[in-house]
């Protein structure tokens, strides 16, 4: 009943520990995830400015819409111990979309355009809001014919390379920022 509550606190405490022990540089951190990790990434960029760049793949950002857009609608009911009509305020409270106006982290968003688990509309919705608000760069990539996972080897390679380019551009290790493909 506490998704994006204690699990997000846990993620941040792990990040804090890595900074404290010198494993992570607080000025060069990225946030990335796919599926539930994409859900966490959408949430994360609305909660903190600690990450220099982020990449959300096949993530949920609007829980009320997701409930009727997925092939696993019981999943949210199980995690939140309710349906959206029983606790609408909880579904809104735990939706990153309600705080998209606060995002300042450059965000790469990726999804399969045939995803039945997490509709690509979830990604499109967040991207369109970020683009309209204009506080942070964002990029949306929809992979044709792909479902919840990118299984086509050529497209899978593209997805990985796009992530490397995105993070290398926004969190350069040395020298000048490299060129990033915007199409």
């Amino acid at each position: 009943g506490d998704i994006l509550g204690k699990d997000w606190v846990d993620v941040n405490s792990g990040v804090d520990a890595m900074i404290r022990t010198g494993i992570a540089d607080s000025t060069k951190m990225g946030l990335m995830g796919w599926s539930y990790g994409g859900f966490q990434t959408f949430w994360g960029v609305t909660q903190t400015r600690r990450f220099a760049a982020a990449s959300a793949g096949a993530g949920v950002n609007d829980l009320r819409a997701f409930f009727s857009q997925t092939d696993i609608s019981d999943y949210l009911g199980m995690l939140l111990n309710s349906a959206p009509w029983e606790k609408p305020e909880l579904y809104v409270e735990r939706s990153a979309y309600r705080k998209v106006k606060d995002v300042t982290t450059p965000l790469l968003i990726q999804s399969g355009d045939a995803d039945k688990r997490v509709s690509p509309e979830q990604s499109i919705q967040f991207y369109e809001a970020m683009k309209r608000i204009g506080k942070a760069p964002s990029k949306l990539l929809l992979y044709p014919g792909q479902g919840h996972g990118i299984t086509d080897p050529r497209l899978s390679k593209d997805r990985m390379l796009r992530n490397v380019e995105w993070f290398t551009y926004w969190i350069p290790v040395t020298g000048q920022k490299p060129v990033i493909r915007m199409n």
Side-chain angles (χ1 to χ4, degrees):
D2 193 32
I3 58 172
L4 301 176
K6 291 185 180 107
D7 54 348
W8 180 246
V9 170
D10 191 41
V11 167
N12 272 299
S13 66
V15 172
D16 291 339
M18 290 192 305
I19 293 168
R20 223 177 13 262
T21 60
I23 294 171
D25 178 343
S26 65
T27 67
K28 294 185 177 189
M29 296 190 309
L31 178 63
M32 178 180 177
W34 194 271
S35 191
Y36 193 82
F39 178 41
Q40 286 268 353
T41 301
F42 279 136
W43 182 256
V45 297
T46 69
Q47 302 300 304
T48 182
R49 295 179 178 191
R50 78 187 309 176
F51 300 101
S55 173
V60 174
N61 83 86
D62 183 342
L63 296 180
R64 288 188 305 178
F66 174 72
F67 192 87
S68 63
Q69 293 174 336
T70 184
D71 61 348
I72 56 166
S73 60
D74 290 345
Y75 181 69
L76 274 184
M78 176 192 67
L79 292 177
L80 291 171
N81 298 322
S82 69
W85 54 88
E86 295 167 337
K87 292 184 181 174
E89 67 287 344
L90 179 60
Y91 276 72
V92 171
E93 176 192 323
R94 298 299 167 94
S95 292
Y97 191 60
R98 74 180 175 91
K99 296 193 78 180
V100 67
K101 66 187 178 312
D102 299 331
V103 177
T104 59
T105 305
L107 180 62
L108 174 63
I109 303 169
Q110 298 169 305
S111 178
D113 75 353
D115 192 342
K116 302 291 186 220
R117 178 73 23 103
V118 177
S119 169
E121 292 301 319
Q122 291 281 324
S123 294
I124 294 166
Q125 179 186 44
F126 207 81
Y127 170 74
E128 289 296 332
M130 282 192 66
K131 188 171 72 168
R132 183 170 182 155
I133 293 163
K135 283 186 180 178
S138 61
K139 182 177 179 179
L140 173 66
L141 294 167
L142 297 175
Y143 289 96
Q146 299 301 292
H148 195 57
I150 307 303
T151 58
D152 177 288
R154 182 182 57 82
L155 297 176
S156 181
K157 179 181 177 183
D158 182 80
R159 181 180 65 88
M160 288 184 264
L161 289 174
R162 299 287 184 138
N163 278 285
V164 169
E165 286 176 353
W166 187 259
F167 285 106
T168 302
Y169 181 81
W170 292 107
I171 313 171
V173 178
T174 59
Q176 294 184 316
K177 291 182 177 183
V179 174
I180 187 167
R181 291 181 283 170
M182 292 309 283
N183 58 7

